[in-house]
Each structure stands twice: as structure tokens, then as C-alpha cells.
Amino acid sequence: MENKIMETIVARRSTRKYLPEVPVWEKIEEVIKAGRYAPSGGNSQSCHFICIANGEVLEELKEIVKTAFAGMEYDENTYKSIQNSIRLSKKGTYDFIYKAPVLIVVANKIGYGNAMADSSCALMNMMLAAESVGLGSCWINQLHWLDENPIVREKLYALGLKEDETVCGALSLGIPAIPAQPSLERTGNPVDYIK
């Protein structure tokens, strides 16, 4: 059975190596459009998308994030990805967006019960749209983890974040630097069918 949507879902991979050039704007706009058309609780449409494709701004943001993580400590109970962010930041080698030329930050209203769910739908739509137009993408959590850091928030305010918004996630976006990888078989996510 041919199904283009399922083909796109199965083909999508998280991209962590990008070419340095910014993709064609029409492709970026198509990706954002997919996020804007994601479902939302009560059709609230309260996701706020901040698309950063300015290399200088991205470098400033990367330095702020690296400094924030470098000032943290962790132990064996700390989430593994946060441990990695802290460890690499302390070494000075951390690039939380994998050198992607575009970062799309997704924010939503503080205190809104569906903020994360709505933003997750938008991010997933954007990842699938990126795959469909030949771009690579990767879900980025670091700005969500640092959402209450005043220096990070101040930078995000300068980029358009509103004071009544929380960062729910972000998406690195660009042209993949490596060829498409084959899909991995699912070994987790069990399913029980009751017929």
C-alpha cells in the first residue's frame, strides 16, 4: 500500500550534521507553515515560532547556552542529555544546534495546560515537513531546559519571546551534510492489540 505520509514518517531521521548554507527560504517557510497548521487544544493556535537564520545571532545564542551549562553541576541522577550538555560546555566544545544554519524556537503561553502538547505537535509537523522538502532537522531541548535562566531569557526576549511565554522546544534545520540513513527497525514502543 503506497502512502506518502507513512514514507515520510519512516524516512525521517534526526540530523546532527549540516552544511553551513541557509536553505532556500521557500523551504523554511514551508516547514514553519507545517508547524502553524498543527493541531492545538481548543484550536488555541498559541504557539509562537521564532526563526533564527542569522549566523551572528546563532553564535551569540550558542555562547550564552554554553556558558549557562558550563556553570552547572550534575550527578548520576541527572538526565543523560543534560549531563552531556554540561560536560561539553565545560570543555568549551558545545554546539547545542549541531552547527545548523537555522534554529526555530517554539514557545507557548506560561500556565497554558496544553503548551507542551501543542508545541510538540508543531515540532513534529515541522520535522516531517523538513523531511518532505529535503531538509534535515533535529528536536532541540536545551532552550526548554534553560527556560528560567535569566540571561538566556533576556537574549530570547531580544529575539521576540514574550514575557508571558515559555520555551517548549526548538528545531535545528538545514541541509544534511551526510547522505540519508536507512530507517531503524523499532525495538521499543510495544503495542498491545485488543480485537
Side-chain angles (χ1 to χ4, degrees), residues 36-114:
R36 295 186 70 218
Y37 274 81
S40 58
N43 196 29
S44 67
Q45 298 182 38
S46 56
C47 287
H48 177 192
F49 302 88
I50 302 169
C51 179
I52 309 165
N54 178 303
E56 192 174 298
V57 172
L58 286 173
E59 287 304 317
E60 290 170 7
L61 189 56
K62 286 192 261 186
E63 283 304 313
I64 290 168
V65 167
K66 189 183 337 178
T67 300
F69 278 119
M72 295 178 170
E73 299 300 328
Y74 63 90
D75 60 29
E76 68 277 356
N77 298 316
T78 306
Y79 177 51
K80 184 179 173 184
S81 291
I82 295 177
Q83 286 184 28
N84 189 52
S85 298
I86 295 169
R87 191 173 26 259
L88 291 175
S89 292
K90 287 181 183 294
K91 286 183 184 178
T93 60
Y94 193 49
D95 181 342
F96 80 104
I97 63 169
Y98 308 107
K99 297 182 174 43
V102 179
L103 179 69
I104 303 171
V105 179
V106 182
N108 214 310
K109 299 294 182 186
I110 292 171
Y112 167 51
N114 285 334

Side-chain angles (χ1 to χ4, degrees), residues 100-146:
V102 179
L103 179 69
I104 303 171
V105 179
V106 182
N108 214 310
K109 299 294 182 186
I110 292 171
Y112 167 51
N114 285 334
M116 185 57 80
D118 292 359
S119 298
S120 296
C121 289
L123 283 156
M124 191 69 241
N125 266 19
M126 290 193 295
M127 288 188 285
L128 293 173
E131 176 66 30
S132 76
V133 298
L135 297 180
S137 66
C138 187
W139 185 304
I140 302 295
N141 273 320
Q142 286 76 353
L143 294 175
H144 170 66
W145 297 334
L146 297 172

